[in-house]
């Protein structure tokens, strides 16, 4: 089922120097699978603009979804960057078939902010105490560009089935 609702922004978290996570309130009936995405619509100078976002939080975390964005120079990024808890956005979804298969182990490959659906996978597997082995190969330009670094360490501590292999391409 696809939902369409206004979502109040609950929290903004600075992940790295140019990446932020936005936590939106969701209706109780909103459900999604780990790996799905939503369309987020925000107003920009009297016009609205829509972008797809992987849901970076797990469906086991109730009452909200999180989406994570690298803040660049686009009008959408600039507007999103200015948002605080007085804002709301239109959210439609969930969409997508790129979801965690609970019947198999997973080998994941991500670069930069492309890690967002895998954060959801690992939170979900940890919260549900799944037996799946999850290996993430995660590449970033610099150590300062690693999104969710502390959170990933905590997930590895809680879940012996999670392994993260990180690479840095620049120093």
């Amino acid at each position: 089922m696809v939902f369409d609702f206004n979502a109040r922004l609950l929290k903004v978290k600075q992940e790295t120097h140019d990446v932020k996570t936005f936590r939106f309130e969701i209706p109780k009936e909103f459900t999604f699978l780990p790996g799905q995405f939503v369309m987020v619509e925000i107003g920009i100078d009297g016009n609205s603009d829509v972008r797809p976002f992987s849901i970076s939080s797990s469906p086991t975390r109730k009452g909200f979804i999180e989406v994570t964005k690298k803040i660049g120079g686009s009008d959408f990024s600039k507007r999103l960057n200015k948002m605080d808890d007085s804002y709301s956005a239109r959210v439609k979804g969930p969409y997508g078939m790129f979801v965690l298969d609970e019947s198999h182990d997973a080998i994941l490959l991500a670069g930069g902010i492309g890690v967002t659906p895998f954060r959801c996978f690992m939170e979900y597997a940890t919260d549900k105490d799944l037996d799946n082995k999850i290996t993430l190969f995660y590449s970033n330009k610099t150590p300062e560009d690693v999104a969710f670094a502390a959170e990933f360490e905590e997930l590895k501590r809680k879940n012996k089935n999670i392994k993260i292999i990180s690479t840095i391409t620049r120093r």
Side-chain angles (χ1 to χ4, degrees):
M1 173 177 213
V2 173
F3 296 84
D4 184 349
F5 56 93
N6 283 322
R8 183 172 58 93
L9 182 63
L10 299 172
K11 180 181 177 181
V12 178
K13 180 182 177 193
Q14 190 81 43
E15 301 289 351
T16 71
H17 61 96
D18 63 352
V19 173
K20 289 185 175 183
T21 293
F22 301 86
R23 179 178 287 187
F24 290 99
E25 183 176 47
I26 58 172
K28 287 181 181 171
E29 61 273 7
F30 181 81
T31 59
F32 66 97
L33 299 172
Q36 288 190 299
F37 71 95
V38 291
M39 301 299 291
V40 176
E41 179 180 356
I42 60 173
I44 302 172
D45 299 327
N47 298 311
S48 64
D49 200 357
V50 180
R51 295 285 189 279
F53 287 93
S54 292
I55 302 171
S56 57
S57 58
S58 170
T60 56
R61 315 283 167 103
K62 300 298 182 190
F64 66 89
I65 58 169
E66 292 179 339
V67 298
T68 304
K69 170 97 170 84
K70 182 173 183 176
I71 304 299
S74 72
D75 288 343
F76 190 90
S77 278
K78 290 175 187 173
R79 174 75 170 142
L80 201 59
N81 194 37
K82 292 179 185 176
M83 290 179 74
D84 59 29
D85 61 8
S86 66
Y87 286 87
S88 65
R90 191 103 191 130
V91 175
K92 295 179 185 175
Y95 300 103
M97 301 299 293
F98 179 69
V99 297
L100 179 65
D101 181 347
E102 293 183 39
S103 68
H104 296 290
D105 293 341
I107 297 175
L108 312 171
L109 177 63
I113 198 60
V115 77
T116 56
F118 302 147
R119 174 194 186 222
C120 178
F121 285 8
M122 292 186 295
E123 277 186 356
Y124 180 83
T126 301
D127 291 348
K128 298 289 273 184
D129 199 25
L130 299 180
D131 289 330
N132 302 61
K133 288 183 176 28
I134 298 176
T135 303
L136 170 65
F137 293 88
Y138 185 28
S139 183
N140 285 277
K141 292 177 188 172
T142 70
E144 293 77 26
D145 292 316
V146 178
F148 313 119
E151 192 172 330
F152 285 168
E153 288 303 314
E154 181 66 13
L155 286 169
K156 285 190 326 185
R157 188 188 66 70
K158 288 181 178 178
N159 185 339
K160 65 178 176 23
N161 292 322
I162 291 177
K163 181 176 183 180
I164 300 174
I165 301 163
S166 297
T167 63
I168 300 298
T169 59
R170 298 183 191 156
R171 292 280 173 187

